[in-house]
Amino acid sequence: MHEKHDVPVLGLVQEFLAARATRKPSVHTLKAYERDLTLVVGLMDKEAVTLGDLSPRLLRAAFARFASTRAPASVARAWTSWNAFFTFLVTEQVVPGNPMSAVDKPRPAPHSPKPLRGEDTPEQLLRAVSARDDRQRDPWPERDVAVLALALCAGLRLSELLALRVGSFHGRPGERRVDVAGKGGRPRTVPVEPELDAVVQRYVDSRRVRFGRARADEALLVDRKGAPLQRGGLQYLVSSCFRRAGINERVPRGAQLHALRHTFATRLAEDGANASEIMRLLGHASLATSQNYIEVTAEQQRAAVRANRTNRALGELV
């Protein structure tokens, strides 16, 4: 327990990050915590901010400066980082209470799903990528299709794809499942249908031909040299698949791989899945996030009904 108010805040930040690291969050999550905490400290208009300086008044002033040049979502994320930081300090009995309730938190814009546009776009994408393209320097359609299928048919995030191991798949034929290291350290298990299982197995077989048998604890997805795929490499792979399939104009701006995950969720909703089922399958922290897919689907259905030419004819009778 720290008994003095002159303890440097940046030192406490490092203690907080070390404690968070034991939960095994992603590197990007830890960096976001550190960035949000240190940036706000830097805006407190003091050379060396100590624990005793962290009054609600100082925090509000620093957050006002932080918010002046940033989007509401960035400010909300920083608020969440500071709330977690103070929760840690309270738990460690460093401070008696959490002052973040005195700092206004902006309300983020409603989440808007961004699935691929076009009824048959996912099928067109998979067909195009599964065809061997000799214009590529080293074509590997088995791997490329496996990446797309895991996002389209299991709803995996980019970070979850990178975290997959060769041994992440379990179960008997017809009852297969994949263990996923979810966002925020929340693990989940997603059912794997026989068709997706076959696609993954074809990829694993092709990988064995290229690089030999892999251990169960090795990364599932690798590049053309056999090294684990990294974030940038996976993003480039997905964007190149869109380009090869000629569907770039059907991909919502800024979505890329997430558009595949959103397509999975949207189709679940269209086929009758409820918000609770979508929440479990996608690993959402909030039921409200999953409900958005239901609402989008309802809007799409209403738009389809509105386009019915008979409705327009009825309008002429009124």
Side-chain angles (χ1 to χ4, degrees):
M1 175 177 177
H2 299 278
E3 297 180 352
K4 296 182 180 180
H5 290 290
D6 59 357
V7 176
V9 170
L10 292 180
L12 294 172
V13 167
Q14 293 306 313
E15 291 185 28
F16 165 71
L17 294 173
R20 281 278 156 160
T22 62
R23 302 185 183 186
K24 300 294 184 183
S26 72
V27 173
H28 303 287
T29 298
L30 281 177
K31 285 183 177 178
Y33 276 131
E34 184 172 23
R35 182 172 60 250
D36 291 338
L37 293 169
T38 55
L39 281 174
V40 174
V41 168
L43 294 171
M44 289 182 177
D45 209 19
K46 291 177 68 70
E47 286 191 10
V49 180
T50 64
L51 183 61
D53 295 323
L54 295 182
S55 66
R57 182 177 180 180
L58 184 67
L59 285 164
R60 283 195 297 267
F63 264 87
R65 297 188 186 100
F66 184 83
S68 66
T69 58
R70 291 171 176 84
S74 298
V75 182
R77 188 197 63 220
W79 190 98
T80 300
S81 296
W82 274 86
N83 190 56
F85 175 54
F86 273 112
T87 299
F88 164 76
L89 295 181
V90 171
T91 302
E92 295 293 309
Q93 300 181 3
V94 177
V95 295
N98 185 344
M100 290 306 295
S101 60
V103 180
D104 289 338
K105 179 183 180 181
R107 183 174 296 178
H111 172 77
S112 178
K114 298 180 179 179
L116 295 173
R117 293 186 287 267
E119 181 63 30
D120 64 343
T121 301
E123 291 73 25
Q124 180 180 333
L125 172 63
L126 290 170
R127 284 194 295 268
V129 173
S130 65
R132 187 179 181 87
D133 186 353
D134 291 325
R135 293 173 298 178
Q136 291 182 280
R137 184 168 53 187
D138 183 12
W140 196 355
E142 296 88 354
R143 182 204 57 182
D144 298 350
V145 170
V147 167
L148 299 176
L150 284 165
L152 281 168
C153 299
L156 302 194
R157 300 178 175 93
L158 186 147
S159 60
E160 294 168 349
L161 286 167
L162 296 177
L164 286 177
R165 306 290 102 180
V166 173
S168 293
F169 294 79
H170 305 281
R172 298 176 299 181
E175 299 178 0
R176 298 278 282 167
R177 60 193 185 278
V178 58
D179 294 333
V180 181
K183 188 176 182 180
R186 295 185 296 273
R188 71 181 187 281
T189 299
V190 179
V192 174
E193 289 298 292
E195 296 82 0
L196 175 58
D197 192 29
V199 164
V200 173
Q201 190 56 54
R202 278 197 296 272
Y203 158 64
V204 171
D205 291 342
S206 71
R207 171 181 165 159
R208 185 182 302 117
V209 171
R210 287 173 175 248
F211 308 115
R213 185 176 296 275
R215 300 189 312 272
D217 62 347
E218 289 188 49
L220 175 68
L221 300 175
V222 297
D223 62 22
R224 288 181 172 88
K225 295 182 180 179
L229 267 175
Q230 301 299 314
R231 190 178 187 87
L234 184 53
Q235 289 173 327
Y236 178 79
L237 185 158
V238 172
S239 63
S240 68
C241 288
F242 291 156
R243 186 172 59 253
R244 283 153 50 196
I247 63 164
N248 275 332
E249 74 284 355
R250 305 186 200 177
V251 182
R253 185 176 180 181
Q256 294 298 311
L257 189 140
H258 228 57
L260 306 180
R261 172 177 161 86
H262 285 187
T263 300
F264 169 71
T266 300
R267 287 191 164 187
L268 285 175
E270 289 173 346
D271 292 338
N274 60 41
S276 179
E277 292 166 336
I278 295 173
M279 179 180 177
R280 287 195 297 271
L281 287 170
L282 274 79
H284 289 152
S286 166
L287 191 64
T289 303
S290 307
Q291 184 65 37
N292 284 321
Y293 292 98
I294 306 292
E295 292 172 356
V296 167
T297 299
E299 290 174 5
Q300 292 170 339
Q301 291 172 342
R302 181 165 292 279
V305 171
R306 192 180 302 121
N308 188 330
R309 287 172 293 174
T310 306
N311 281 326
R312 293 200 296 271
L314 286 175
E316 296 172 0
L317 301 176
V318 179

